[in-house]
mmCIF file of all heavy atoms in Angstrom:
data_model
loop_
_atom_site.group_PDB
_atom_site.id
_atom_site.type_symbol
_atom_site.label_atom_id
_atom_site.label_comp_id
_atom_site.label_asym_id
_atom_site.label_seq_id
_atom_site.Cartn_x
_atom_site.Cartn_y
_atom_site.Cartn_z
ATOM 1 N N PHE V 269 84.882 81.012 113.185
ATOM 2 C CA PHE V 269 86.333 80.980 112.980
ATOM 3 C C PHE V 269 86.949 81.536 114.270
ATOM 4 O O PHE V 269 86.544 82.592 114.751
ATOM 5 C CB PHE V 269 86.761 81.807 111.792
ATOM 6 C CG PHE V 269 88.227 82.013 111.694
ATOM 7 C CD1 PHE V 269 89.048 80.976 111.316
ATOM 8 C CD2 PHE V 269 88.806 83.232 112.049
ATOM 9 C CE1 PHE V 269 90.443 81.161 111.259
ATOM 10 C CE2 PHE V 269 90.191 83.407 111.991
ATOM 11 C CZ PHE V 269 91.004 82.346 111.607
ATOM 12 N N ASP V 273 95.723 84.935 116.749
ATOM 13 C CA ASP V 273 96.688 85.711 115.975
ATOM 14 C C ASP V 273 96.082 87.120 115.704
ATOM 15 O O ASP V 273 95.192 87.244 114.860
ATOM 16 C CB ASP V 273 97.003 85.037 114.652
ATOM 17 C CG ASP V 273 98.111 85.697 113.877
ATOM 18 O OD1 ASP V 273 98.024 86.935 113.695
ATOM 19 O OD2 ASP V 273 98.996 85.021 113.381
ATOM 20 N N PHE V 274 96.585 88.107 116.375
ATOM 21 C CA PHE V 274 95.980 89.449 116.371
ATOM 22 C C PHE V 274 95.901 90.032 114.962
ATOM 23 O O PHE V 274 94.839 90.462 114.477
ATOM 24 C CB PHE V 274 96.759 90.388 117.282
ATOM 25 C CG PHE V 274 96.198 91.781 117.344
ATOM 26 C CD1 PHE V 274 95.136 92.055 118.193
ATOM 27 C CD2 PHE V 274 96.726 92.777 116.539
ATOM 28 C CE1 PHE V 274 94.612 93.317 118.266
ATOM 29 C CE2 PHE V 274 96.180 94.065 116.615
ATOM 30 C CZ PHE V 274 95.106 94.348 117.469
ATOM 31 N N TYR V 275 97.027 90.072 114.225
ATOM 32 C CA TYR V 275 97.044 90.714 112.931
ATOM 33 C C TYR V 275 96.314 89.905 111.881
ATOM 34 O O TYR V 275 95.704 90.497 110.947
ATOM 35 C CB TYR V 275 98.481 91.099 112.499
ATOM 36 C CG TYR V 275 99.002 92.211 113.362
ATOM 37 C CD1 TYR V 275 99.910 91.958 114.376
ATOM 38 C CD2 TYR V 275 98.551 93.489 113.161
ATOM 39 C CE1 TYR V 275 100.383 92.978 115.173
ATOM 40 C CE2 TYR V 275 99.012 94.531 113.982
ATOM 41 C CZ TYR V 275 99.931 94.268 114.970
ATOM 42 O OH TYR V 275 100.371 95.300 115.771
ATOM 43 N N LEU V 276 96.325 88.625 111.959
ATOM 44 C CA LEU V 276 95.585 87.801 111.055
ATOM 45 C C LEU V 276 94.055 88.054 111.282
ATOM 46 O O LEU V 276 93.304 88.173 110.328
ATOM 47 C CB LEU V 276 95.904 86.320 111.218
ATOM 48 C CG LEU V 276 95.360 85.359 110.204
ATOM 49 C CD1 LEU V 276 95.947 85.678 108.849
ATOM 50 C CD2 LEU V 276 95.663 83.941 110.609
ATOM 51 N N CYS V 277 93.664 88.173 112.527
ATOM 52 C CA CYS V 277 92.284 88.494 112.832
ATOM 53 C C CYS V 277 91.881 89.870 112.361
ATOM 54 O O CYS V 277 90.767 90.108 111.949
ATOM 55 C CB CYS V 277 92.022 88.336 114.341
ATOM 56 S SG CYS V 277 91.999 86.635 114.857
ATOM 57 N N ALA V 278 92.833 90.828 112.391
ATOM 58 C CA ALA V 278 92.574 92.162 111.852
ATOM 59 C C ALA V 278 92.257 92.016 110.328
ATOM 60 O O ALA V 278 91.340 92.694 109.834
ATOM 61 C CB ALA V 278 93.724 93.084 112.073
ATOM 62 N N CYS V 279 92.965 91.175 109.617
ATOM 63 C CA CYS V 279 92.689 90.982 108.178
ATOM 64 C C CYS V 279 91.344 90.357 107.955
ATOM 65 O O CYS V 279 90.592 90.739 107.069
ATOM 66 C CB CYS V 279 93.776 90.103 107.561
ATOM 67 S SG CYS V 279 95.374 90.896 107.422
ATOM 68 N N VAL V 280 90.989 89.396 108.828
ATOM 69 C CA VAL V 280 89.676 88.720 108.708
ATOM 70 C C VAL V 280 88.578 89.717 109.009
ATOM 71 O O VAL V 280 87.616 89.803 108.247
ATOM 72 C CB VAL V 280 89.620 87.510 109.701
ATOM 73 C CG1 VAL V 280 88.198 86.964 109.783
ATOM 74 C CG2 VAL V 280 90.585 86.417 109.256
ATOM 75 N N LEU V 281 88.727 90.546 110.045
ATOM 76 C CA LEU V 281 87.730 91.558 110.354
ATOM 77 C C LEU V 281 87.626 92.583 109.242
ATOM 78 O O LEU V 281 86.496 92.956 108.808
ATOM 79 C CB LEU V 281 88.085 92.210 111.661
ATOM 80 C CG LEU V 281 87.125 93.290 112.184
ATOM 81 C CD1 LEU V 281 85.721 92.696 112.424
ATOM 82 C CD2 LEU V 281 87.677 93.923 113.479
ATOM 83 N N ALA V 282 88.748 93.023 108.736
ATOM 84 C CA ALA V 282 88.775 94.032 107.657
ATOM 85 C C ALA V 282 88.143 93.470 106.365
ATOM 86 O O ALA V 282 87.662 94.217 105.526
ATOM 87 C CB ALA V 282 90.171 94.489 107.394
ATOM 88 N N SER V 283 88.143 92.140 106.220
ATOM 89 C CA SER V 283 87.568 91.483 105.061
ATOM 90 C C SER V 283 86.040 91.383 105.161
ATOM 91 O O SER V 283 85.408 90.918 104.216
ATOM 92 C CB SER V 283 88.176 90.138 104.825
ATOM 93 O OG SER V 283 89.521 90.261 104.528
ATOM 94 N N GLY V 284 85.500 91.768 106.293
ATOM 95 C CA GLY V 284 84.031 91.786 106.408
ATOM 96 C C GLY V 284 83.429 90.739 107.286
ATOM 97 O O GLY V 284 82.189 90.719 107.479
ATOM 98 N N LEU V 285 84.194 89.826 107.846
ATOM 99 C CA LEU V 285 83.640 88.867 108.784
ATOM 100 C C LEU V 285 83.337 89.518 110.116
ATOM 101 O O LEU V 285 84.189 90.203 110.684
ATOM 102 C CB LEU V 285 84.556 87.665 108.983
ATOM 103 C CG LEU V 285 84.602 86.707 107.847
ATOM 104 C CD1 LEU V 285 85.722 85.696 108.041
ATOM 105 C CD2 LEU V 285 83.296 85.991 107.668
ATOM 106 N N PRO V 286 82.121 89.365 110.662
ATOM 107 C CA PRO V 286 81.807 89.995 111.947
ATOM 108 C C PRO V 286 82.449 89.340 113.137
ATOM 109 O O PRO V 286 82.470 88.098 113.254
ATOM 110 C CB PRO V 286 80.260 89.923 111.994
ATOM 111 C CG PRO V 286 79.933 88.791 111.107
ATOM 112 C CD PRO V 286 80.986 88.672 110.077
ATOM 113 N N LEU V 287 83.029 90.120 114.007
ATOM 114 C CA LEU V 287 83.559 89.651 115.253
ATOM 115 C C LEU V 287 82.412 89.411 116.248
ATOM 116 O O LEU V 287 81.657 90.328 116.552
ATOM 117 C CB LEU V 287 84.560 90.641 115.834
ATOM 118 C CG LEU V 287 85.246 90.262 117.124
ATOM 119 C CD1 LEU V 287 86.113 89.038 116.989
ATOM 120 C CD2 LEU V 287 86.058 91.443 117.651
ATOM 121 N N LYS V 288 82.281 88.185 116.732
ATOM 122 C CA LYS V 288 81.210 87.870 117.669
ATOM 123 C C LYS V 288 81.611 88.157 119.126
ATOM 124 O O LYS V 288 80.832 88.710 119.879
ATOM 125 C CB LYS V 288 80.844 86.369 117.566
ATOM 126 C CG LYS V 288 80.086 85.992 116.315
ATOM 127 C CD LYS V 288 79.807 84.493 116.275
ATOM 128 C CE LYS V 288 78.825 84.125 117.352
ATOM 129 N NZ LYS V 288 78.389 82.726 117.210
ATOM 130 N N PHE V 300 89.938 85.435 119.398
ATOM 131 C CA PHE V 300 88.899 86.185 118.659
ATOM 132 C C PHE V 300 87.997 85.155 117.972
ATOM 133 O O PHE V 300 88.467 84.255 117.319
ATOM 134 C CB PHE V 300 89.566 87.123 117.646
ATOM 135 C CG PHE V 300 90.469 88.114 118.276
ATOM 136 C CD1 PHE V 300 91.836 87.916 118.346
ATOM 137 C CD2 PHE V 300 89.964 89.303 118.795
ATOM 138 C CE1 PHE V 300 92.684 88.872 118.891
ATOM 139 C CE2 PHE V 300 90.779 90.228 119.367
ATOM 140 C CZ PHE V 300 92.141 90.021 119.424
ATOM 141 N N VAL V 301 86.714 85.372 118.120
ATOM 142 C CA VAL V 301 85.698 84.488 117.549
ATOM 143 C C VAL V 301 84.872 85.249 116.525
ATOM 144 O O VAL V 301 84.221 86.246 116.874
ATOM 145 C CB VAL V 301 84.799 83.857 118.628
ATOM 146 C CG1 VAL V 301 83.825 82.894 118.010
ATOM 147 C CG2 VAL V 301 85.614 83.203 119.705
ATOM 148 N N PHE V 302 84.895 84.757 115.260
ATOM 149 C CA PHE V 302 84.183 85.441 114.157
ATOM 150 C C PHE V 302 83.017 84.560 113.703
ATOM 151 O O PHE V 302 83.098 83.335 113.732
ATOM 152 C CB PHE V 302 85.100 85.658 112.964
ATOM 153 C CG PHE V 302 86.195 86.653 113.266
ATOM 154 C CD1 PHE V 302 87.393 86.246 113.834
ATOM 155 C CD2 PHE V 302 86.025 87.970 112.905
ATOM 156 C CE1 PHE V 302 88.410 87.160 114.063
ATOM 157 C CE2 PHE V 302 87.004 88.887 113.153
ATOM 158 C CZ PHE V 302 88.193 88.476 113.719
ATOM 159 N N ASP V 303 81.969 85.207 113.289
ATOM 160 C CA ASP V 303 80.854 84.546 112.669
ATOM 161 C C ASP V 303 81.253 84.202 111.231
ATOM 162 O O ASP V 303 81.567 85.105 110.441
ATOM 163 C CB ASP V 303 79.624 85.443 112.666
ATOM 164 C CG ASP V 303 78.354 84.779 112.245
ATOM 165 O OD1 ASP V 303 78.310 83.542 112.323
ATOM 166 O OD2 ASP V 303 77.422 85.498 111.847
ATOM 167 N N ARG V 308 84.429 81.685 104.899
ATOM 168 C CA ARG V 308 85.205 82.693 104.182
ATOM 169 C C ARG V 308 86.562 82.910 104.793
ATOM 170 O O ARG V 308 87.527 83.296 104.095
ATOM 171 C CB ARG V 308 84.440 83.989 104.124
ATOM 172 C CG ARG V 308 83.220 83.979 103.206
ATOM 173 C CD ARG V 308 82.492 85.296 103.114
ATOM 174 N NE ARG V 308 83.406 86.436 103.023
ATOM 175 C CZ ARG V 308 83.200 87.588 103.655
ATOM 176 N NH1 ARG V 308 82.098 87.731 104.417
ATOM 177 N NH2 ARG V 308 84.004 88.566 103.538
ATOM 178 N N ALA V 309 86.734 82.673 106.088
ATOM 179 C CA ALA V 309 87.972 82.966 106.759
ATOM 180 C C ALA V 309 89.155 82.192 106.145
ATOM 181 O O ALA V 309 90.240 82.715 106.017
ATOM 182 C CB ALA V 309 87.889 82.639 108.262
ATOM 183 N N VAL V 312 90.306 84.022 103.094
ATOM 184 C CA VAL V 312 90.997 85.266 103.467
ATOM 185 C C VAL V 312 92.405 84.959 103.950
ATOM 186 O O VAL V 312 93.389 85.646 103.527
ATOM 187 C CB VAL V 312 90.200 86.002 104.572
ATOM 188 C CG1 VAL V 312 91.018 87.150 105.175
ATOM 189 C CG2 VAL V 312 88.871 86.496 104.018
ATOM 190 N N LEU V 321 95.679 89.144 99.108
ATOM 191 C CA LEU V 321 94.578 89.782 99.823
ATOM 192 C C LEU V 321 94.657 91.295 99.564
ATOM 193 O O LEU V 321 95.640 91.944 99.865
ATOM 194 C CB LEU V 321 94.682 89.495 101.326
ATOM 195 C CG LEU V 321 93.526 89.983 102.162
ATOM 196 C CD1 LEU V 321 92.237 89.273 101.755
ATOM 197 C CD2 LEU V 321 93.778 89.671 103.661
ATOM 198 N N ILE V 323 92.865 94.626 100.585
ATOM 199 C CA ILE V 323 91.943 95.306 101.515
ATOM 200 C C ILE V 323 92.422 96.785 101.616
ATOM 201 O O ILE V 323 93.637 97.019 101.784
ATOM 202 C CB ILE V 323 91.995 94.694 102.915
ATOM 203 C CG1 ILE V 323 91.673 93.204 102.874
ATOM 204 C CG2 ILE V 323 91.062 95.388 103.868
ATOM 205 C CD1 ILE V 323 91.917 92.510 104.191
ATOM 206 N N ARG V 327 90.579 100.193 106.217
ATOM 207 C CA ARG V 327 89.778 99.140 106.836
ATOM 208 C C ARG V 327 90.674 98.289 107.748
ATOM 209 O O ARG V 327 90.222 97.850 108.837
ATOM 210 C CB ARG V 327 89.136 98.294 105.788
ATOM 211 C CG ARG V 327 87.931 99.031 105.152
ATOM 212 C CD ARG V 327 87.283 98.265 104.043
ATOM 213 N NE ARG V 327 86.814 96.925 104.379
ATOM 214 C CZ ARG V 327 86.342 96.059 103.520
ATOM 215 N NH1 ARG V 327 86.252 96.366 102.255
ATOM 216 N NH2 ARG V 327 85.945 94.890 103.942
ATOM 217 N N VAL V 328 91.907 98.068 107.344
ATOM 218 C CA VAL V 328 92.820 97.260 108.188
ATOM 219 C C VAL V 328 93.133 98.056 109.468
ATOM 220 O O VAL V 328 93.113 97.483 110.593
ATOM 221 C CB VAL V 328 94.100 96.905 107.452
ATOM 222 C CG1 VAL V 328 95.106 96.208 108.363
ATOM 223 C CG2 VAL V 328 93.806 96.056 106.235
ATOM 224 N N ILE V 329 93.415 99.310 109.364
ATOM 225 C CA ILE V 329 93.716 100.168 110.525
ATOM 226 C C ILE V 329 92.522 100.218 111.435
ATOM 227 O O ILE V 329 92.635 100.078 112.701
ATOM 228 C CB ILE V 329 94.128 101.569 110.089
ATOM 229 C CG1 ILE V 329 95.490 101.492 109.393
ATOM 230 C CG2 ILE V 329 94.166 102.538 111.255
ATOM 231 C CD1 ILE V 329 95.888 102.745 108.641
ATOM 232 N N ASP V 330 91.303 100.401 110.876
ATOM 233 C CA ASP V 330 90.070 100.402 111.736
ATOM 234 C C ASP V 330 89.904 99.067 112.416
ATOM 235 O O ASP V 330 89.490 99.017 113.582
ATOM 236 C CB ASP V 330 88.856 100.711 110.837
ATOM 237 C CG ASP V 330 88.803 102.142 110.353
ATOM 238 O OD1 ASP V 330 89.532 102.984 110.904
ATOM 239 O OD2 ASP V 330 88.004 102.396 109.400
ATOM 240 N N ALA V 331 90.191 97.965 111.721
ATOM 241 C CA ALA V 331 90.074 96.608 112.322
ATOM 242 C C ALA V 331 91.049 96.468 113.511
ATOM 243 O O ALA V 331 90.685 95.939 114.554
ATOM 244 C CB ALA V 331 90.304 95.545 111.280
ATOM 245 N N ILE V 332 92.280 96.937 113.315
ATOM 246 C CA ILE V 332 93.271 96.868 114.389
ATOM 247 C C ILE V 332 92.782 97.650 115.599
ATOM 248 O O ILE V 332 92.864 97.164 116.727
ATOM 249 C CB ILE V 332 94.645 97.378 113.883
ATOM 250 C CG1 ILE V 332 95.259 96.370 112.924
ATOM 251 C CG2 ILE V 332 95.601 97.644 115.072
ATOM 252 C CD1 ILE V 332 96.460 96.872 112.182
ATOM 253 N N HIS V 333 92.264 98.846 115.361
ATOM 254 C CA HIS V 333 91.775 99.671 116.485
ATOM 255 C C HIS V 333 90.612 98.989 117.190
ATOM 256 O O HIS V 333 90.512 99.002 118.411
ATOM 257 C CB HIS V 333 91.348 101.062 115.993
ATOM 258 C CG HIS V 333 92.506 101.907 115.617
ATOM 259 N ND1 HIS V 333 92.419 102.940 114.707
ATOM 260 C CD2 HIS V 333 93.797 101.904 116.023
ATOM 261 C CE1 HIS V 333 93.591 103.507 114.574
ATOM 262 N NE2 HIS V 333 94.430 102.924 115.377
ATOM 263 N N GLU V 334 89.690 98.404 116.417
ATOM 264 C CA GLU V 334 88.536 97.706 117.042
ATOM 265 C C GLU V 334 89.002 96.510 117.852
ATOM 266 O O GLU V 334 88.501 96.330 118.975
ATOM 267 C CB GLU V 334 87.567 97.227 115.966
ATOM 268 C CG GLU V 334 86.370 96.550 116.546
ATOM 269 C CD GLU V 334 85.297 96.153 115.555
ATOM 270 O OE1 GLU V 334 85.310 96.678 114.419
ATOM 271 O OE2 GLU V 334 84.450 95.312 115.918
ATOM 272 N N LEU V 335 89.916 95.714 117.343
ATOM 273 C CA LEU V 335 90.402 94.555 118.130
ATOM 274 C C LEU V 335 91.105 95.011 119.414
ATOM 275 O O LEU V 335 90.902 94.395 120.458
ATOM 276 C CB LEU V 335 91.348 93.706 117.277
ATOM 277 C CG LEU V 335 90.681 92.993 116.055
ATOM 278 C CD1 LEU V 335 91.748 92.157 115.346
ATOM 279 C CD2 LEU V 335 89.556 92.056 116.527
ATOM 280 N N ARG V 336 91.949 96.029 119.297
ATOM 281 C CA ARG V 336 92.625 96.523 120.497
ATOM 282 C C ARG V 336 91.597 97.038 121.550
ATOM 283 O O ARG V 336 91.742 96.805 122.759
ATOM 284 C CB ARG V 336 93.553 97.665 120.154
ATOM 285 C CG ARG V 336 94.867 97.151 119.550
ATOM 286 C CD ARG V 336 95.825 98.308 119.370
ATOM 287 N NE ARG V 336 97.059 97.768 118.758
ATOM 288 C CZ ARG V 336 97.828 98.510 118.009
ATOM 289 N NH1 ARG V 336 97.597 99.773 117.793
ATOM 290 N NH2 ARG V 336 98.935 97.982 117.479
ATOM 291 N N ARG V 338 88.499 96.034 121.886
ATOM 292 C CA ARG V 338 87.835 94.907 122.480
ATOM 293 C C ARG V 338 88.717 94.222 123.490
ATOM 294 O O ARG V 338 88.215 93.742 124.520
ATOM 295 C CB ARG V 338 87.426 93.939 121.356
ATOM 296 C CG ARG V 338 86.410 94.459 120.375
ATOM 297 C CD ARG V 338 85.002 94.601 120.983
ATOM 298 N NE ARG V 338 84.377 93.331 121.359
ATOM 299 C CZ ARG V 338 83.575 92.619 120.554
ATOM 300 N NH1 ARG V 338 83.290 93.022 119.365
ATOM 301 N NH2 ARG V 338 83.063 91.522 121.033
#
Side-chain angles (χ1 to χ4, degrees):
F269 169 75
D273 185 313
F274 182 83
Y275 290 104
L276 191 63
C277 287
C279 289
V280 170
L281 182 61
S283 295
L285 285 170
L287 180 64
K288 288 178 67 173
F300 298 98
V301 182
F302 293 86
D303 189 22
R308 289 181 42 220
V312 170
L321 188 61
I323 304 171
R327 286 175 57 187
V328 176
I329 291 167
D330 290 345
I332 290 169
H333 289 153
E334 181 176 342
L335 293 179
R336 282 187 182 153
R338 296 288 295 267

